[in-house]
């Protein structure tokens, strides 16, 4: 193909779900395109769909196969759903990484954890300065979000110029990090914006977004009025919120303690980079022990009810010093991510059992979102007057609603779910085709395809339980020993007549072999099949379940 | 003890969670007490805590052991969380069942399903008529809720008189079933109410509850304005909502089709009992095929995103006639139960992908709750002027908030979580002690204790996967055959050098036996231990996981 070079966009992750953001921009034509990646994040597993999985990420196969044409990886901000996969996928990507200062520091930690201390991470100054990566000129435009140094990207090529928002909100007083700078965005729009690729997370929130600054007073009031201990939680990476909480504690004459590794690390990192110079000195463990409850405020990680996080531990009373009771206040200054409600309720109920007062965003203005709400998205559309709006970072419903919102204001919009290659500049905006996409699971130290079946097998084990049976067969096709069975995750004590499921299974396996044809008994697959069938039927009759059955066949020679 | 007879209350389920309601009232003193049970419900399992479980119910051990003193089981209404356990626990309870007409019909269905066609189910007329069960005189007071025939109970004994609300809301125009009758409740309060045992589900909802009647217009507008097909869902048992939806369809000139067994059954039952005489005739399957989309409205079960329900099937396009597209409208006239958000989002996104418009309660007044909100609870407290408020049906936080609400108005309140025996009349209101409680899982056809470990084993399988290894050892302690392994739910293709995990496990098992002491090899437990340890270490090194390991040891005699 000798067509003119254009600029294309492909989401590998993030357009069809919230989380695991991974976007590609390609410049050139046909197979000659050069690429950059924007963000490389994870999402988190759940027992329902991905038990035992450690992390979920987009399958980068499409770009891995073209890694020699990948000119850079741009990270918009240091949230796990934008950067958490970088260390795990680095081996197949191996392109220079670009990020602003705080984000770059976080990326370096991630890379070091994965054993890549020497990967190249370029620290990029903010817009109007820019960096060149292959045919792409990219500048980082500071935006407000729930973590410092968040950025939108201006991506320029000879084929056109687009803006990728990353996660953002319109907050003029974000307390930490850069305020949203309308003048800068207006300035950006003075040169044509061919396309706006835009965060869709909060498109269903109809009120204008609120500022971090709005929280200072309600939180300070709450902390001041608490008679006893105050324990507060938020996302560990929400540095501005940690500061808001800590300053409220300080104003109420309380010492600030921090529980939770991720939270400590984030506070340390933000302090190093001069982002929270007014953050109070944190109490040492000894000082914590010496501080009376009414002069103490504890910031703890685990706002999503994570079982191993500090909040869970405190709620369960496992820390003697932090045992709560009436007069104490527990503040969830956070949003509960859909699906985590039962886990959060479990922790909140634990706290409630102690007699402490549990407070969350339903009780007052104790949390603001980090994402642009519907009216804010509309404002950005108007501000930038893009030639095309491409909604990203959202489930299908969010993408559709966001596209409808753009069209209402007269901006063309295009929905491009994961794997859809779309021309966004250098020619008519249109879908050019589909590329291969999928999900990878980090499972222990293995990266496996979500559809490989390994996790599906585990779900079957969880639902059905397991029967393992071993049989030893001699050269005549006879059993050389009694079958041996084990049962895991199935009730074995049968009420009636005190029969035992394991013994019944062993008997039924023996009978199955005895009844099998000579030819069948010579064939391991046949042996497995007849024993499985017999055991399945037995279990269904005795306990009402058909378990997963593993039959192990050994062959011996006897006299 | 020869103390005066009193009236006590014990929650076995429902006070500490939402769901699995099971309450006891006892009259007498010490071990001479007679008992009645109020409600006998289930709650539903999830993959996180109870994979493979079919239903969860309160462990009735305390009352089963005293079944000869149980004078009756009173069912307040026909929701699964109030009646779903009755068939499963009947064998250990065996007391006469009392319910109002519609509820009794539903109970009979449940009992028949469990094989107890001949259990006694008394149909009780509403208050002021009453029934006598042992020393208890009980009357059913009609209340409004999201199912017909819901009732509060007035429970009278020589020791005092209490009111148990069941689930209720204050709805003067519930469309189907009895309106909330303030005059009747005021009348009830003219005789002293010693205690009010009261639904706490919605105590955190601060606005006064809305009526079913408020939905008619918004829903009718929505259905009328839809250019194409309308698919609507709600809880199958919400007969009033089904009627509201169907009448909206009818008013818009649409034929009404119903998909989903539970929904069909509920409509049939309500019609039989004369509760929805104006419900439009439902289309047959042939009529459905012949009705154009713009003249069709489908009511479908599966408002919680259940994978096997009609909504999921329609969303996945598996029904040719009901394939959706742009111009079609999908209405979720329901609340998403906490924890079900991801499942509901999955179905909604499927629908959104077709181009249909997906509408739920966030888009307008398309759903009202069946439970009394905070101001309504307060109204009931004032109306009944009880000597004591005992919050029930709620998590710990709900119970506490409800108790605080009662105290604010000057009514004494007592929090009695599951297992707490409380004197509520015939003496000072106080906690008398604790009784044994717990949860039972219906797992296939077995009822197992939640703490029995069976389900915990399955969770371990789901997280870790399984290795089964069999070894055959002869009388000399030598392997009589090569070890045989199978791996389920673990990645077996190791990238480096195409090694195979199963082969590695078999080798490591062989090595472990060869290296074991003679005495160890004679002991099956020791053989299992050394092989488990070796396999665990191997898997941790190769795939980063420590699986569940089942080692099966067979013994043979060789020459």
């Amino acid at each position: 193909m000798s067509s003119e070079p254009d600029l294309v966009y492909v989401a590998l992750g993030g357009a069809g779900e919230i989380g695991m953001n991974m976007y590609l921009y390609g410049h050139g034509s046909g197979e000659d395109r050069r690429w950059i990646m924007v963000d490389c994040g994870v999402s988190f597993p759940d027992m329902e769909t991905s038990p035992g999985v450690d992390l979920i990420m987009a399958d980068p196969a499409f770009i891995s196969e073209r890694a020699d044409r990948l000119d850079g990886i741009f990270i918009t901000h240091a949230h796990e759903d934008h950067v958490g996969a970088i260390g795990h996928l680095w081996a197949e990507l191996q392109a220079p990484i670009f990020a602003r200062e705080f984000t770059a520091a976080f990326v370096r930690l991630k890379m070091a954890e994965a054993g890549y201390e020497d990967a190249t991470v370029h620290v990029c100054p903010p817009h109007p300065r820019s960096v060149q990566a292959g045919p792409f000129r990219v500048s980082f435009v500071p935006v407000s979000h729930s973590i410092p140094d968040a950025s939108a990207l201006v991506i320029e090529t000879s084929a056109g110029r687009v803006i990728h928002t990353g996660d953002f909100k319109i907050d003029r007083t974000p307390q930490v990090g850069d305020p949203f700078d309308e003048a800068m965005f207006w300035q950006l729009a003075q040169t044509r914006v061919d396309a706006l690729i835009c965060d869709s997370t909060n498109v269903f929130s109809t009120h204008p977004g609120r500022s971090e600054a709005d929280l200072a007073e309600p939180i300070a009031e709450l902390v001041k009025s608490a008679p006893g201990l105050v324990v507060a939680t938020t996302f560990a990476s929400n540095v501005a919120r940690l500061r808001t909480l800590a300053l409220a504690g300080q104003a109420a004459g309380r010492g600030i303690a921090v529980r939770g590794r991720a939270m400590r690390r984030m506070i340390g990192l933000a302090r190093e980079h001069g982002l929270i110079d007014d953050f109070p000195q944190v109490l040492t463990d000894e000082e914590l022990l010496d501080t009376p409850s009414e002069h103490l405020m504890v910031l703890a990680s685990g706002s999503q009810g994570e079982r191993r996080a500090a909040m869970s531990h405190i709620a369960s009373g496992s820390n003697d010093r932090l045992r709560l009771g009436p007069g104490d206040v527990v503040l969830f200054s956070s949003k509960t991510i859909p699906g985590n409600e039962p886990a959060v309720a479990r922790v909140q109920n634990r706290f409630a059992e102690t007699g402490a007062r549990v407070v969350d965003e339903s009780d007052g203005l104790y949390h603001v979102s980090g994402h642009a709400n519907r009216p804010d998205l509309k404002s950005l559309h108007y501000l930038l007057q893009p030639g095309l709006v491409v909604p990203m970072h959202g489930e299908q419903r969010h993408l559709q609603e966001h596209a409808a919102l753009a069209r209402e204001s007269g901006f063309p919009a295009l929905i491009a779910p994961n794997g859809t290659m779309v021309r966004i500049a250098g020619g008519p905006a249109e879908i050019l085709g589909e590329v291969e996409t999928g999900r990878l699971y980090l499972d222990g130290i293995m990266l496996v395809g979500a559809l490989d079946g390994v996790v599906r097998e585990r779900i079957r084990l969880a639902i059905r339980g397991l029967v393992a049976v071993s049989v030893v067969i001699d050269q005549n096709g006879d059993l050389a020993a009694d079958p041996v069975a084990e049962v895991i995750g199935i009730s074995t004590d049968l009420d009636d007549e005190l029969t035992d499921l394991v013994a019944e299974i062993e008997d039924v396996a023996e009978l199955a072999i005895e009844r099998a044809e000579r030819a069948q008994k010579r064939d391991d697959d046949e042996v497995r099949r007849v024993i499985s069938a017999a055991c399945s039927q037995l279990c269904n009759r005795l306990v009402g379940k058909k378990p997963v059955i593993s039959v192990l066949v050994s062959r011996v020679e006897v006299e």
Side-chain angles (χ1 to χ4, degrees), chain A:
Chain A
M1 283 211 301
S2 64
S3 54
E4 284 298 294
D6 56 13
L7 179 60
V8 301
Y9 158 90
V10 185
L12 294 182
E17 67 251 318
I18 291 177
M20 47 182 268
N21 292 277
M22 186 188 285
Y23 307 95
L24 298 175
Y25 292 88
H27 177 259
S29 63
E31 270 305 302
D32 289 331
R33 286 201 178 87
R34 305 290 307 183
W35 298 90
I36 56 171
M37 177 181 281
V38 176
D39 290 340
C40 188
V42 294
S43 66
F44 296 95
D46 57 58
M47 277 296 287
E48 181 82 21
T49 59
S50 43
V53 168
D54 297 289
L55 290 172
I56 304 173
M57 52 201 87
D59 186 342
F62 171 78
I63 189 67
S64 303
E65 289 161 10
R66 296 162 176 76
D68 59 320
R69 313 191 142 272
L70 181 63
D71 290 315
I73 301 170
F74 291 80
I75 305 296
T76 59
H77 63 286
H79 274 150
E80 292 293 337
D81 59 335
H82 293 260
V83 67
I86 188 89
H88 304 290
L89 300 179
W90 178 247
E92 27 190 314
L93 298 175
Q94 308 237 19
I97 302 170
F98 300 88
R100 282 173 68 204
E101 181 186 330
F102 178 80
T103 310
F106 190 80
V107 171
R108 285 204 185 96
L109 286 177
K110 286 273 162 199
M111 294 301 279
E113 277 175 5
Y116 302 114
E117 282 83 359
D118 48 0
T120 307
V121 183
H122 296 287
V123 174
C124 303
H127 184 85
R129 293 177 64 185
S130 64
V131 294
Q132 191 75 31
F136 303 89
R137 197 152 71 89
V138 181
S139 66
F140 286 79
V141 185
V143 292
S144 43
H145 184 45
S146 48
I147 190 166
D149 260 23
S151 301
L153 302 178
V154 181
I155 301 170
E156 288 176 277
T157 68
S158 65
R161 177 173 178 266
V162 302
I163 295 181
H164 178 106
T165 64
D167 288 356
F168 79 105
K169 64 183 292 196
I170 296 184
D171 190 341
R172 291 150 191 109
T173 51
Q175 308 305 299
V176 173
D178 306 286
F180 187 83
D181 184 347
E182 252 136 347
M184 185 183 278
F185 274 86
W186 182 84
Q187 191 59 48
L188 286 174
Q190 299 319 298
T191 311
R192 176 177 164 82
V193 176
D194 290 302
L196 172 67
I197 293 82
C198 190
D199 181 11
S200 309
T201 316
N202 276 14
V203 67
F204 288 108
S205 299
T206 49
H207 62 86
R210 283 167 304 207
S211 170
E212 183 67 26
D214 298 342
L215 300 180
E217 201 178 298
I219 290 179
E221 283 297 316
L222 178 74
V223 174
K224 210 175 95 186
S225 69
L229 182 63
V230 176
V231 176
T233 186
T234 187
F235 282 100
S237 61
N238 194 337
V239 174
R241 186 65 45 77
L242 290 169
R243 177 184 167 276
T244 302
L245 292 166
L247 293 184
Q250 190 178 41
R254 291 170 183 267
I256 307 299
V258 178
R259 314 301 298 179
R261 201 178 71 96
M263 208 174 256
R264 282 212 186 101
R265 179 159 94 166
M266 219 17 115
I267 292 170
L269 206 60
R271 217 197 276 276
E272 265 175 47
H273 291 273
L275 291 164
I276 45 170
D277 293 336
D278 56 355
F279 199 90
Q281 192 59 42
V282 169
L283 299 179
T284 64
D285 285 357
E286 294 80 54
E287 288 169 340
L288 191 158
L289 286 172
D290 292 341
T291 307
S293 289
E294 66 273 24
H295 293 135
L296 181 61
M297 175 161 178
V298 179
L299 307 181
S301 59
S303 66
Q304 300 304 304
E306 300 93 329
R307 276 179 201 275
R308 293 176 182 177
M311 285 299 277
S312 279
H313 289 149
I314 298 172
S316 68
S318 65
N319 183 321
D320 278 336
R321 171 60 194 91
L322 301 180
R323 214 159 265 165
L324 278 82
D328 297 333
V329 169
V330 179
L331 171 62
F332 283 73
S333 178
S334 54
K335 177 198 162 187
T336 300
I337 292 175
N340 292 345
E341 290 81 0
V344 171
R346 191 168 52 228
V347 174
Q348 292 188 339
N349 283 313
R350 275 279 177 102
F351 277 119
E353 281 166 21
T354 68
R357 183 175 159 221
V358 180
V359 177
D360 63 23
E361 62 168 333
S362 67
D363 299 299
L365 188 56
Y366 300 127
H367 174 67
V368 295
S369 169
H371 294 271
N373 287 358
R374 190 184 181 87
D376 309 314
L377 293 171
K378 192 167 174 175
S379 298
L380 190 72
H381 299 168
Y382 272 101
L383 200 53
L384 291 176
Q385 298 285 319
L388 176 71
V389 172
V390 181
M392 64 160 176
H393 205 194
E395 300 173 0
Q396 184 70 24
R397 282 190 73 193
H398 299 84
L399 305 183
Q400 287 191 359
E401 188 76 11
H402 192 171
L405 176 70
R407 290 183 192 124
E408 272 172 26
S409 307
F411 301 105
L414 223 155
I415 297 168
N418 291 340
T420 313
M421 189 184 294
V422 190
R423 184 191 294 121
I424 53 175
E430 59 183 359
I431 292 172
L432 300 180
E434 303 288 323
V435 311
E436 199 192 319
T437 53
R439 292 176 176 206
L440 296 181
Y441 290 154
L442 179 70
D443 187 32
I445 56 175
M446 306 290 283
L447 273 181
V448 302
L451 301 178
D452 281 4
V454 168
V455 172
R456 203 161 50 232
E457 282 181 347
R458 291 211 293 263
I459 292 173
R460 276 171 53 88
L461 286 170
I463 292 173
R464 295 163 172 258
L466 175 99
V467 170
V469 197
S470 99
V471 289
V472 186
I473 301 178
D474 66 22
Q475 70 271 31
N476 305 317
D478 295 325
L479 287 171
D482 290 338
V484 180
E486 187 179 11
V487 150
I488 304 179
I490 306 174
S491 294
T492 51
D493 300 323
L494 306 177
D495 269 349
D496 48 344
E497 306 157 36
L498 293 172
T499 47
D500 174 32
L501 186 62
V502 173
E504 296 268 341
I505 289 169
E506 290 170 350
D507 288 351
V508 104
E510 186 168 347
L511 204 65
I513 293 298
E514 284 170 2
R515 285 185 182 164
E517 309 277 327
R518 241 188 126 71
Q520 284 184 305
K521 292 196 274 196
R522 271 194 226 108
D523 178 348
D524 286 2
D525 285 340
E526 269 299 294
V527 170
R528 280 193 283 266
R529 197 186 57 76
V530 297
I531 294 181
S532 286
C535 291
S536 180
Q537 202 182 7
L538 176 81
C539 291
N540 193 35
R541 181 164 60 78
L542 294 182
V543 300
K545 290 184 87 95
K546 294 184 173 176
V548 177
I549 298 174
S550 171
V551 182
L552 303 171
V553 185
S554 300
R555 301 281 174 178
V556 296
E557 295 278 326
V558 297
E559 189 61 2

